[in-house]
Amino acid sequence: MSKTFCRSLARKKVMSNDGMLIGTIKNIIVDLNTGQVADLLVKPDETFKTDGYRTDGDKMLVPFESVKDIKDYVVVDRYLLKR
């Protein structure tokens, strides 16, 4: 995956690799020791059920390791989200 500026992630839609709309990026969580993105903080779409996924209040934590591609949408592997 090529390098991407954080500001280009603002308000991007997150979609699973099987075409399901997950939600919209609201923020990112960075490991300050390594400088790497750890998680994306996503506001889930009203049609996406968050049961079984990591959440923080009304937001969902998407591990950055589940991100497969960043273009018009952030594409994630939905099965890696449950880690």
Side-chain angles (χ1 to χ4, degrees):
M1 187 173 0
S2 64
K3 294 183 180 184
T4 302
F5 288 105
C6 290
R7 67 177 166 256
S8 71
L9 295 176
R11 295 182 297 280
K12 265 199 192 284
K13 299 282 186 190
V14 179
M15 183 173 281
S16 68
N17 55 349
D18 59 358
M20 180 179 289
L21 180 62
I22 295 173
T24 306
I25 295 177
K26 291 299 178 186
N27 212 338
I28 60 170
I29 298 172
V30 176
D31 181 336
L32 295 177
N33 293 323
T34 64
Q36 293 185 336
V37 176
D39 295 300
L40 302 175
L41 198 59
V42 175
K43 180 177 184 199
D45 187 68
E46 60 271 355
T47 61
F48 187 77
K49 305 293 183 216
T50 60
D51 300 334
Y53 296 97
R54 291 178 29 218
T55 58
D56 182 16
D58 64 339
K59 304 290 188 284
M60 186 173 147
L61 294 164
V62 174
F64 194 71
E65 65 189 20
S66 69
V67 173
K68 297 300 176 194
D69 198 16
I70 300 173
K71 294 208 177 165
D72 293 335
Y73 289 89
V74 175
V75 179
V76 298
D77 186 331
R78 188 164 50 113
Y79 300 102
L80 292 177
L81 295 178
K82 292 191 176 190
R83 288 187 170 181

